[in-house]
Amino acid sequence: MTIAVFPGSFDPLTNGHLDLITRASKIFDHLIVAVGQNTSKRGVFTTDERVAFIEETTRDMANVSVRVESGLTVDFMRASHATVLVRGIRNSVDFEYEQGIAGMNRTLDANVDTVCLMAAPQYQFVSSSLLREVARFGGDLTNLVPPVVAHAMVARLAGDQ
């Protein structure tokens, strides 16, 4: 059984993330979405909220689970018996960044392979900072994030300028 991990902050969860989760769930026997706790920056949503959004939007995917991770992803993977790290790539900048991380992870644990999935064209421009800006000004997030996330973002950020 091949267990894969898709790590990220998911702040916010986007339709691009959800597309990658869906695609990866069809490739691997089990996919763990690992929600990272980033203590160095203040996010829009708490870790518990981000986990809840992912659980709600993936509830029909039987082979997907959601867990919180802190520390090194390779340590999380080892504890989860995972051997594949899934990453999404939107552009060449992402590729170069992910290439360095893949090399470091492989150095830390030779059993970890990284698989990069290209972002679907309609999501290649989506970034957390752009989404926060759109939400702050009450813009339409319908095609960019799941409905539960859109409502929560607007409620939290609208008028927060």
Side-chain angles (χ1 to χ4, degrees), residues 14 57 100 107:
T14 70
T57 57
T107 298

Side-chain angles (χ1 to χ4, degrees), residues 50-67:
R50 291 179 279 143
V51 167
F53 293 149
I54 298 166
E55 287 177 338
E56 181 174 334
T57 57
T58 62
R59 70 176 168 259
D60 295 331
M61 298 178 207
N63 67 329
V64 174
S65 62
V66 184
R67 293 184 32 208

Side-chain angles (χ1 to χ4, degrees), residues 16-85:
H17 292 133
L18 196 53
D19 177 63
L20 293 170
I21 291 167
T22 301
R23 290 164 48 205
S25 75
K26 293 175 184 175
I27 298 170
F28 303 103
D29 297 314
H30 186 78
L31 178 68
I32 302 169
V33 180
V35 179
Q37 293 179 308
N38 189 342
T39 57
S40 65
K41 63 180 180 180
R42 184 177 168 264
V44 175
F45 298 111
T46 66
T47 302
D48 289 342
E49 287 171 320
R50 291 179 279 143
V51 167
F53 293 149
I54 298 166
E55 287 177 338
E56 181 174 334
T57 57
T58 62
R59 70 176 168 259
D60 295 331
M61 298 178 207
N63 67 329
V64 174
S65 62
V66 184
R67 293 184 32 208
V68 175
E69 78 159 317
S70 59
L72 292 174
T73 301
V74 293
D75 292 338
F76 177 86
M77 291 179 68
R78 203 174 294 117
S80 303
H81 306 287
T83 56
V84 178
L85 183 64

Side-chain angles (χ1 to χ4, degrees), residues 1 6 22 25 27-29 55 62 73 87 93 95 120 122 125 129 137 139:
M1 180 161 127
F6 180 37
T22 301
S25 75
I27 298 170
F28 303 103
D29 297 314
E55 287 177 338
T73 301
R87 298 299 294 160
V93 173
F95 175 79
Q122 67 267 34
F125 66 92
S129 57
F137 290 99

Side-chain angles (χ1 to χ4, degrees), residues 83-99:
T83 56
V84 178
L85 183 64
V86 176
R87 298 299 294 160
I89 295 182
R90 296 171 297 180
N91 54 42
S92 61
V93 173
D94 282 356
F95 175 79
E96 289 186 21
Y97 176 76
E98 294 300 340
Q99 185 179 29

Side-chain angles (χ1 to χ4, degrees), residues 79-136:
S80 303
H81 306 287
T83 56
V84 178
L85 183 64
V86 176
R87 298 299 294 160
I89 295 182
R90 296 171 297 180
N91 54 42
S92 61
V93 173
D94 282 356
F95 175 79
E96 289 186 21
Y97 176 76
E98 294 300 340
Q99 185 179 29
I101 293 199
M104 179 58 73
N105 286 333
R106 187 81 172 160
T107 298
L108 294 172
D109 188 334
N111 296 313
V112 171
D113 281 311
T114 300
V115 172
C116 294
L117 298 176
M118 297 304 299
Q122 67 267 34
Y123 305 125
Q124 289 179 348
F125 66 92
V126 177
S127 71
S128 296
S129 57
L130 283 174
L131 291 174
R132 285 191 294 270
E133 190 74 7
V134 170
R136 277 190 188 94

